[in-house]
Structures are given as structure tokens and as C-alpha cells.
Amino acid sequence: TTRAFILMVAWGPIKMGARVVRGLDNRSTNLFSWGPGDSLDCLGSNKNGNLTSPNILELRFRCPWHLWRHRKVQQFYQSFYQEAQHVWSRACQLFDPSPQFLEDRRRQMSLEAYRYSELHTKLLDRLQLFRETLSPAERNEIENHFVLVYRAGRAWHLISVILEHLAQPAEGEAGSDLALDLAHWKHAHFPLHSYADLSSTLPKWAGGGLSDAWLDQLVTYILDFRIDQAQEMVRSLAPELHMIPLPRDASQAALQGLEGLLVGLLHIEDAGVSGRPVDAAWREWRQRGEWAAVERTCPSLGRLGEQLMTVLGVLRGDVDQLSAWARSLEQGLVAHVTFRRERRRLGLAGPANLAEDLLEAAPPGPARDPVIESLVRLDFQAAVKGFADGLLDWWSAAHLADLCHRGSYIPFSPNFSADLRNFAFKELTGLLSSSGRLWQVAAAYLRSAMEFDEVALAGTAEPRSNVMAALLADLVRRQPASTDRECRRLLLACSPPARATGLQVVKPAPELAEAAG
């Protein structure tokens, strides 16, 4: 029955995304997030929790089915999972799990999340190189998968920024600026063409002032905090002022004043990149004399003066101007946080409230990313769900849930029906165990989680460690063992609590029972 069901699914039309099919016993079967394995792993259980014939099955499809026949794709993912487990285990061992070391753990989590983002970039680079060897049909098939991998890496970069600013900086350590960090995150993942590439196609002048397309591009650079590009645009106007019938001295003074304000922003950005505090620099920039110079000359410049006053409104952080010009949630968030900043160190509460307002005003559409939206609202629980449902990525869901657990960002309650970490680790275990080469990686995750919980939950009645032990015992019990050597390897993969669970609570396979004596 199991073999017939596997053949029916494997040769049927497989599509990206979660869907429900019917097994041979007419029971619903969920298909989502299958791991990079050589064969499918069908899991079934009866009411007693023992694995039986496939009454309840979970088959995981992480990538279009036909691509898994390529050994390279499997190797890329196996390397990704192994490298990521190494990063995770090192992070778990870096600080004591005891509650008194919570702030120390939180401070290193940002670097851990950034490492995950880098691993996604490395995985995508490998897949992109492999893409050139595929047929045209297979290239089209893998494109959607590339998008999911890229979105996951982008989200992990944002998680790194958020965790850095949620953690308290160590004594004597200068923290980075939130507005600049968000702007640089957007620069990395939402690139724009440089002005040098666009200058030949953008007309500068129209109707006695700037053309609408040119002004729109200038404001876009400012909203994205790409100040070097905005400065280049303003500087390019000076040699062509003779083309409009306006007082040359007044128009030149206005443009010089605007360029001076942009240069001041560049100095602020340089200070932030070098790790120096920027609050004082922002206050000085607000009081620069160029503001008055531009305002004084704009009334005599007609349409050009009105357009320059619009740019000043954006730089001042005028809410109406920012909302009118922003084209996306990410751009609006960066612009509001940057130009509406108060005279104090920025925290995350302000951007989270801004994100709520921006999301209410934003129209629904396919371009919206549920994970990004949840993260900027600091809703980690929804972000875990977004990884699983929106990106079909149980690896990221499990790691974000674990970060929230180790950093106490989502409190755990035994009465809560869906313990994020346990559920996500269960799915991650299934994802990894779908490949015969990765079950030991899954076992390493569960062992480290148990070791962390033994210290972190010492003296409490939390049942989480028992759940991890049961998962580990179940994982080992489902591995084939035909020789004594294989049996010993399976037993060594278990920690003592897992061995006890596997031999007392869950009925072991005959090979394990014989090896255990």
C-alpha cells in the first residue's frame, strides 16, 4: 500500500505550494515542504502514537519534483542543512542557557541570524550556477523556487537587524542606528538602477521646471536613502539652468542649498557606518542654513520652486508627502523612520507602530510579503507562520521559533495549544529525515535542543525536553538497521533520555531492541 501510494504521488502532477490529496485509504494527506532526499519518507501513526501503515501521511516537497533527480540539487541542499546546523549548534553552546545569561544570548542572536542569511545567499548562488545546465522547461520550473529561497534570505537579514536592536548593547558599546540599518537592508534586497544608467532616458526639463519622471526618480532616491544618487541628480542640473527662463542666480542658489542638505545626509550616513552616534549630527542637520536659503529663493522660481519645496517637505519628514510618494511598505517604512525621527535614540516600538499604519493604508496585492510584514510589526509568531505557509519553509520556521525561545521573545505556556518551537522542530525533523543522509543532522538538532532545555528549564515543570526526546527516539527508530554496526550507530545518536524514551515509551524496531540487549 505504501509503495503504491508513493508511486501514485511521484508520477502525478506536482506543483509548488501546499495542497491536499487523497490516499488509498481515502484519508486527507498534506503535501508540503518535502526535503532534499533520494526517496520519500511516508509517516503514519495510529491512536497510540506508533508508526503503522500510512493512515496519516505527510510527504514533503521542498522543490519541484523533477529537479530532485539531479544529484547536484540534492548536494546543494544537504550542504546547506549541514552548514546551518553547525552555525546553530555553535550559537547554542556559546552562552550558558541559564536565565541570568539571557541578555548575553540575545546580543549574539543577530549575528546568528545574519549567518543564516549568508547561507541562503550561498545556496542561491549555487542553484543559479546549476540553472545554466538545465533544460528550458526545468529553468521555468525552478524560477519560483529561486524566489522562495531569495525571500527567505531577505527575511533573515531583516531578522538580524531587528534582533540587534531588540538586544541591549553591552556596557560601553555604541549601538548602530536603526534608521540607517533598515535603509541598508533595503538597499541590499530592493536594488534600484543608478542615475548613470537612467540619465540618458530621463528628460530633465518640462513646462518651466523639472519633468515629472525626473522628479519622481529624485524623490525615490531620497525615500530609499540613496543620497549619493540624489546628490548626483541635483548636481547634474547646474550646467543646464540656461534651458529654463528663470533667474539664474536664484535657481542656482536653490540647487546649491538642496545639494548642501544632501551632503549633510551623506556625512550622517558615513558616521553611522563607522559606528559613531548620529543623534547629534541629525540635530545639526535640521538647523543648517541651507533650509532657509532654499525656502527664500523658491517663491521666485515658479514651477521649479514648487517642486523644490516638495523635495524639502520629504526631507523634513512631512507625513502627507512621505505617504504620497512612497511606493511600497519597505520604502515607506524606511522614509518615515529616517526623516520623522525624534531627538533621541530610535527604538523598535516606533517603526512597529508605523508599520501597522502603513499596512492599513496599503492595498492588498501579490507583491506583499507576509513574513516581512510580520517582522516589521514585531509579530514573531505570525512570522513563523508566514515562513511555513507563505514560503513553504519549515527550516526557517523552526529556526525562528527556536531563536524566539532562546531569547524569550515568545513566552511558552503549557496551556497554549500550539507550542511553536515543538511543532516547528517536529516538521524540521520530518524535513531532514526525508533524506537518508540528513537524519543525523536532525538528531543533532534534537540533542542540542534537549541539552539547552535541561539547563534553561531546570526546576520547572515544562514538558518540552520530553517532547524532544520522543522526537529523537522516533527519528532513530525509523532508520533502517540490518547490521550490529548500524544498530550501534543509531543508539549512539541518542542521548540517555532519548534512549530511555525510545526503549520504554515508544516500541523500538526489532533491530534496536536486539542491539540494546
Side-chain angles (χ1 to χ4, degrees):
T1 302
T2 304
R3 183 175 303 171
F5 183 84
I6 292 175
L7 291 175
M8 178 186 70
V9 173
W11 292 103
I14 303 299
K15 297 181 179 180
M16 287 295 295
R19 63 194 183 109
V20 177
V21 300
R22 294 285 175 178
L24 294 182
D25 56 358
N26 204 31
R27 292 174 180 261
S28 296
T29 304
N30 293 321
L31 297 183
F32 59 96
S33 298
W34 178 61
D38 300 329
S39 60
L40 298 178
D41 194 9
C42 299
L43 312 181
S45 62
N46 58 19
K47 294 181 179 180
N48 297 325
N50 298 323
L51 297 180
T52 61
S53 59
N55 295 326
I56 302 176
L57 297 174
E58 292 179 335
L59 303 181
R60 295 167 174 84
F61 293 88
R62 184 62 179 84
C63 192
W65 166 256
H66 297 291
L67 296 176
W68 289 123
R69 64 187 177 85
H70 296 287
R71 181 68 60 180
K72 283 289 185 183
V73 175
Q74 299 177 25
Q75 291 174 350
F76 293 158
Y77 267 92
Q78 288 163 356
S79 298
F80 169 81
Y81 288 129
Q82 291 168 352
E83 292 168 0
Q85 198 281 329
H86 178 70
V87 172
W88 179 82
S89 62
R90 295 260 317 208
C92 290
Q93 298 168 5
L94 191 57
F95 290 103
D96 193 301
S98 303
Q100 59 265 33
F101 295 97
L102 175 62
E103 290 301 329
D104 293 330
R105 292 200 302 274
R106 284 181 171 179
R107 279 192 287 271
Q108 61 88 24
M109 285 180 179
S110 173
L111 180 59
E112 178 186 350
Y114 189 73
R115 291 284 185 266
Y116 295 150
S117 175
E118 290 180 326
L119 288 176
H120 277 86
T121 302
K122 184 188 297 185
L123 172 63
L124 193 60
D125 291 341
R126 290 169 174 170
L127 291 173
Q128 289 283 13
L129 291 175
F130 178 70
R131 176 182 178 275
E132 303 303 323
T133 66
L134 299 176
S135 66
E138 289 176 323
R139 291 183 188 180
N140 294 332
E141 188 180 17
I142 203 173
E143 287 298 334
N144 289 336
H145 181 64
F146 283 168
V147 173
L148 296 180
V149 175
Y150 179 78
R151 288 170 60 185
R154 179 178 66 187
W156 276 107
H157 190 179
L158 180 59
I159 292 170
S160 173
V161 172
I162 292 174
L163 292 179
E164 179 179 359
H165 290 272
L166 281 176
Q168 296 292 331
E171 185 177 354
E173 178 184 348
S176 59
D177 187 75
L178 174 61
L180 295 179
D181 286 346
L182 288 174
H184 294 157
W185 167 76
K186 189 176 186 306
H187 296 174
H189 300 287
F190 299 87
L192 294 177
H193 291 290
S194 66
Y195 179 62
D197 296 332
L198 300 175
S199 58
S200 60
T201 60
L202 280 179
K204 291 188 177 70
W205 310 105
L210 301 171
S211 68
D212 292 339
W214 198 93
L215 178 64
D216 181 80
Q217 189 62 43
L218 174 63
V219 175
T220 297
Y221 282 141
I222 294 175
L223 293 177
D224 273 34
F225 210 74
R226 300 175 189 269
I227 305 303
D228 57 336
Q229 300 300 313
Q231 181 196 11
E232 184 179 349
M233 291 188 73
V234 173
R235 182 177 294 175
S236 69
L237 294 176
E240 302 182 12
L241 287 177
H242 64 278
M243 300 178 63
I244 54 175
L246 293 173
R248 183 176 179 84
D249 293 340
S251 56
Q252 190 170 7
L255 292 178
Q256 287 177 349
L258 179 58
E259 185 179 356
L261 293 175
L262 296 177
V263 171
L265 289 178
L266 284 177
H267 293 162
I268 292 175
E269 185 176 14
D270 292 340
V273 170
S274 62
R276 301 193 304 271
V278 299
D279 292 339
W282 274 102
R283 290 194 295 269
E284 294 175 2
W285 181 75
R286 293 287 187 190
Q287 300 170 3
R288 290 176 69 110
E290 287 91 342
W291 294 98
V294 177
E295 292 176 344
R296 188 168 52 250
T297 55
C298 279
S300 63
L301 298 179
R303 183 169 183 263
L304 176 61
E306 295 175 359
Q307 292 171 327
L308 294 181
M309 289 301 297
T310 297
V311 176
L312 284 188
V314 172
L315 292 173
R316 278 203 177 94
D318 182 88
V319 177
D320 295 333
Q321 294 283 7
L322 295 178
S323 301
W325 286 96
R327 299 293 185 265
S328 66
L329 167 68
E330 295 81 11
Q331 187 181 66
L333 183 64
V334 169
H336 281 271
V337 172
T338 302
F339 296 110
R340 291 176 57 192
R341 63 184 297 137
E342 302 174 2
R343 293 187 176 183
R344 58 179 174 81
R345 180 179 174 81
L346 289 173
L348 281 165
N353 294 332
L354 281 173
E356 292 282 1
D357 298 338
L358 294 174
L359 287 172
E360 290 180 2
R368 295 178 58 170
D369 189 326
V371 179
I372 299 298
E373 293 179 4
S374 302
L375 290 174
V376 296
R377 289 168 28 235
L378 301 184
D379 190 346
F380 289 115
Q381 183 173 332
V384 172
K385 184 177 184 296
F387 270 128
D389 296 342
L391 302 186
L392 311 177
D393 187 355
W394 276 110
W395 181 93
S396 293
H399 282 74
L400 179 56
D402 180 72
L403 277 174
C404 293
H405 165 60
R406 286 189 280 127
S408 297
Y409 290 122
I410 297 182
F412 171 78
S413 171
N415 299 323
F416 188 54
S417 59
D419 176 2
L420 282 180
R421 183 170 177 258
N422 280 349
F423 184 74
F425 262 75
K426 172 182 175 294
E427 295 300 325
L428 177 62
T429 301
L431 172 69
L432 295 174
S433 62
S434 61
S435 171
R437 294 185 177 90
L438 292 177
W439 74 267
Q440 294 182 76
V441 176
Y445 271 111
L446 296 174
R447 284 199 309 272
S448 296
M450 292 168 58
E451 293 169 359
F452 182 91
D453 289 344
E454 286 176 4
V455 178
L457 304 178
T460 68
E462 303 284 5
R464 186 180 280 116
S465 292
N466 294 334
V467 174
M468 294 296 177
L471 286 175
L472 180 55
D474 179 66
L475 171 67
V476 172
R477 190 168 65 90
R478 288 191 283 111
Q479 305 308 314
S482 57
T483 65
D484 290 344
R485 181 178 180 180
E486 291 176 350
C487 293
R488 284 193 295 270
R489 184 183 62 181
L490 294 179
L491 287 176
L492 289 175
C494 294
S495 62
R499 291 178 200 163
T501 304
L503 296 177
Q504 297 174 11
V505 179
V506 182
K507 291 183 178 180
E511 293 86 357
L512 282 179
E514 181 180 355

